């Protein structure tokens, strides 16, 4: 009896080792193809997302059609609120699946449909109907982006080895940042400035839809997805939600990471109002909007190479620390110096800081704990971030209307400094794994 049990355990162990070996061999054999798929998806896909998510075009458009700071805050809150629940639903939907790419295509496609909807609203609607349509599309965009973010990060963890993820994201974000910066400048100067055909902003969103759709199409054609040796068991969503305390209690560094992430996300309270503040201090034209967008998005091109290679070499805790420090410095510069060169430099710093934060946060969460728990860690992390991000913009709008923009920027700096206080107590997850 004991001999039989021992033989079964040994066979199971050998079988698992064989599956792990086959999985690793498949990943490395298809790495060039999958690397290119991730690169093209990120370069073209994130180009479109940047045009929509940068704190320039969409806040400026919503402010132009509504005339309200609070409405701008409400729009960003709805966008973030849409992404609060769906990351967990997305994680529960894919964690037990051997193949994740089909779900990624559905979620990514619906997120892109929301961007097309923004363009259609600008084309077909006017007045309050336009405001309502934009708010609806922003909410829809948030819903499907929340799920998409989890699913594509799961695929990144499956398809690209840990030691290669930083440089992939560096070159992907740098190339996408360069394209987005050039498109943003061209959109500001040639579409929005002259209000081409009376559709400057809608044409910008249409360009975003086209580029991001090309990205996901290349991804679907190129990637080859392995079947992992172990999978989480399929369980009801309620049961998976009950696992969250286990994920937190079992890893204190992950818990501290979530606190840092939520505080840094609260620091975005000022993000929708950067461009509106500049408009009130030095004035705003299509050319100025394009220049600030170029600075913000162009920061990706230069900074991501630094962030990615630094993260691969030292781990991403150092990247997160540097990004938060740059974020504070850029906000202070924007508050205190009202000359155009200084404002452009501040927007460059804000773009570099937020890209460094995003890269470090999205990469570090993959490195805590077991591989089978990656989808739910991503779901928990993205939900926590989305919850805070949904509250920050509307709170910022109310504070801006009552106390002015300096109070909003001061609150942002306070949250970022609090994150910097917590961060030193968190161990670099890559060091903990080794």
């Amino acid at each position: 009896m004991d001999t039989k049990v021992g033989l079964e355990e040994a066979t199971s162990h050998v079988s698992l080792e064989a599956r792990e070996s086959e999985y690793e061999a498949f990943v490395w054999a298809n790495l060039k193809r999958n690397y290119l798929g991730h690169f093209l998806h990120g370069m073209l896909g994130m180009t479109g997302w940047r045009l929509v998510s940068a704190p320039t075009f969409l806040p400026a458009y919503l402010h132009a059609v509504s005339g309200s700071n609070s409405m701008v805050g409400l729009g960003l809150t709805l966008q973030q609120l849409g992404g609060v629940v769906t990351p967990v639903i997305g994680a529960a939907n894919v964690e037990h699946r051997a193949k994740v790419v089909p779900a990624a295509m559905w979620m990514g496609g619906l997120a892109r449909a929301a961007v097309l909807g923004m363009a259609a609203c600008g084309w077909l609607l006017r007045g309050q109907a336009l405001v309502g349509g934009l708010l609806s599309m922003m909410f829809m965009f948030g819903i499907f982006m929340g799920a998409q973010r989890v699913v594509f990060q799961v695929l990144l963890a499956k398809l690209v080895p840990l030691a290669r993820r930083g440089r992939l994201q560096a070159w992907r974000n740098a190339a996408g940042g360069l394209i987005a910066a050039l498109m943003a400048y061209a959109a500001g100067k040639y579409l929005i400035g002259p209000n081409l055909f009376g559709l400057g902003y809608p044409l910008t969103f249409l360009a975003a839809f086209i580029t991001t759709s090309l990205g996901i199409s290349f991804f679907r054609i190129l990637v080859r997805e392995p079947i992992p040796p172990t999978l989480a068991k399929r369980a009801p969503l309620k049961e998976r939600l009950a696992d969250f305390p286990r994920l937190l209690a079992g890893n204190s560094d992950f818990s501290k990471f979530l606190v840092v992430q939520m505080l840094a996300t609260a620091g975005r309270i000022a993000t929708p109002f950067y461009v509106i503040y500049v408009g009130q201090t030095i004035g705003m034209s299509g050319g100025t909007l394009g220049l600030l967008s170029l600075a913000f998005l162009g920061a990706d091109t230069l900074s991501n190479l630094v962030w990615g290679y630094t993260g691969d070499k030292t781990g991403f805790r150092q990247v997160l620390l540097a990004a938060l420090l740059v974020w504070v410095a850029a906000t202070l510069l924007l508050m205190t110096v009202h000359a155009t060169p200084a404002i452009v430099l501040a927007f460059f710093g804000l773009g570099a800081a937020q890209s460094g934060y995003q890269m470090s946060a999205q990469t570090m969460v993959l490195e805590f704990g077991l591989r089978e728990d990656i989808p739910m860690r991503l779901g928990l992390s993205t939900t926590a971030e989305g919850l805070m991000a949904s509250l920050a913009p509307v709170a910022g709008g109310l504070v801006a209307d009552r106390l002015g923009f300096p109070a909003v920027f001061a609150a942002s700096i306070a949250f970022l400094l609090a994150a910097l206080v917590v961060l030193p107590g968190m161990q670099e997850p890559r060091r903990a794994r080794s």
Side-chain angles (χ1 to χ4, degrees):
M1 183 70 174
D2 291 341
T3 303
K4 182 179 180 181
V5 171
L7 181 61
E8 289 177 350
E9 289 179 350
T11 303
S12 174
H13 180 66
V14 170
S15 178
L16 179 59
E17 284 188 345
R19 293 199 304 271
E20 288 280 2
S21 179
E22 290 174 4
Y23 176 79
E24 290 294 326
F26 186 98
V27 168
W28 285 100
N30 291 275
L31 181 58
K32 290 184 178 179
R33 188 184 187 101
N34 291 336
Y35 203 94
L36 181 60
H38 270 285
F39 175 79
L40 291 175
H41 172 257
M43 180 183 69
L44 296 172
M46 294 179 70
T47 296
W49 299 146
R50 285 182 178 98
L51 291 177
V52 175
S53 300
T56 48
F57 293 125
L58 193 52
Y61 188 35
L62 194 53
H63 191 268
V65 298
S66 69
S68 168
N69 293 327
S70 297
M71 196 61 67
V72 174
L74 176 62
L76 271 293
T77 290
L78 287 173
Q79 181 177 320
Q80 299 298 334
L81 188 63
V84 169
V85 177
T86 51
V88 177
I89 295 175
N93 186 259
V94 301
E95 64 176 348
H96 61 279
R97 295 178 185 267
K99 297 283 189 177
V100 178
V101 169
M105 294 303 103
W106 272 102
M107 295 172 188
L110 290 169
R112 285 155 178 79
V115 177
L116 182 60
M118 294 177 193
C121 286
W123 188 293
L124 301 173
L125 304 177
R126 295 293 181 270
Q128 291 302 310
L130 174 55
V131 175
L134 286 173
L135 293 177
S136 299
M137 289 300 103
M138 291 174 76
F139 182 63
M140 177 180 171
F141 179 68
I143 287 175
F144 294 110
M145 278 299 291
Q148 178 192 265
R149 177 176 167 184
V150 169
V151 175
F152 275 95
Q153 285 299 103
V154 169
L155 285 170
L156 177 66
K158 287 184 70 176
L159 302 179
V160 180
L162 178 63
R164 301 291 181 88
R165 292 172 194 165
R167 69 194 69 178
L168 167 61
Q169 293 179 92
W171 285 105
R172 178 191 71 182
N173 294 354
L178 176 60
I179 296 171
L182 295 175
M183 286 183 64
Y185 181 75
K189 186 171 183 178
Y190 299 111
L191 299 181
I192 295 172
N195 195 22
L196 188 65
F197 307 127
L199 299 168
Y201 284 104
L203 288 173
T204 300
F205 299 142
L206 180 61
F209 167 75
I210 292 171
T211 54
T212 196
S213 296
L214 286 172
I216 200 171
S217 299
F218 283 125
F219 184 85
R220 184 66 184 92
I221 293 168
L222 288 169
V223 297
R224 295 292 181 266
E225 184 181 3
I227 297 176
T230 57
L231 288 168
K233 293 182 180 179
R234 185 167 190 170
L237 179 60
K238 183 178 179 180
E239 183 177 322
R240 299 304 286 132
L241 291 174
D243 279 343
F244 281 173
R246 174 185 62 82
L247 291 176
L248 295 173
N251 195 322
S252 62
D253 286 322
F254 178 55
S255 300
K256 293 172 185 175
F257 166 78
L258 285 181
V259 173
V260 172
Q261 186 180 34
M262 293 182 73
L263 288 169
T265 304
R268 294 183 193 168
I269 188 172
T271 300
F273 307 105
Y274 294 145
V275 70
I276 301 170
Y277 174 72
V278 172
Q280 292 185 0
T281 53
I282 67 168
M284 184 62 65
S285 65
T288 302
L289 185 61
L291 181 61
L292 295 180
S293 299
L294 175 65
F296 186 90
L297 298 173
D300 275 352
T301 305
L302 298 179
S303 68
N304 267 290
L305 297 175
V306 178
W307 300 140
Y309 278 88
T310 300
D312 276 350
K313 185 176 181 180
T314 68
F316 279 90
R317 180 178 172 275
Q318 292 298 109
V319 173
L320 182 55
L321 175 63
L324 293 175
L325 290 171
V326 173
W327 197 342
V328 170
T331 305
L332 285 171
L333 179 62
L334 185 64
M335 290 175 65
T336 55
V337 184
H338 298 154
T340 299
I343 290 173
V344 171
L345 179 60
F347 266 71
F348 185 90
L350 292 167
Q354 293 194 34
S355 66
Y357 164 74
Q358 289 291 345
M359 182 186 292
S360 56
Q362 291 176 12
T363 305
M364 286 172 68
V365 71
L366 303 176
E367 300 178 13
F368 294 100
L370 300 174
R371 179 175 59 208
E372 299 94 290
D373 289 332
I374 284 177
M376 293 312 293
R377 279 203 311 275
L378 281 166
L380 176 56
S381 169
T382 309
T383 295
E385 184 181 62
L387 180 63
M388 189 61 69
S390 67
L391 298 174
V394 72
L398 294 173
V399 173
D401 282 338
R402 296 185 181 184
L403 301 176
F405 291 117
V408 181
F409 294 163
S412 173
I413 291 172
F415 285 123
L416 296 173
L417 291 175
L420 284 166
V421 170
V422 177
L423 183 58
M426 183 195 76
Q427 186 179 4
E428 164 61 47
R430 196 168 300 182
R431 187 178 301 120
R433 287 171 67 91
S434 64

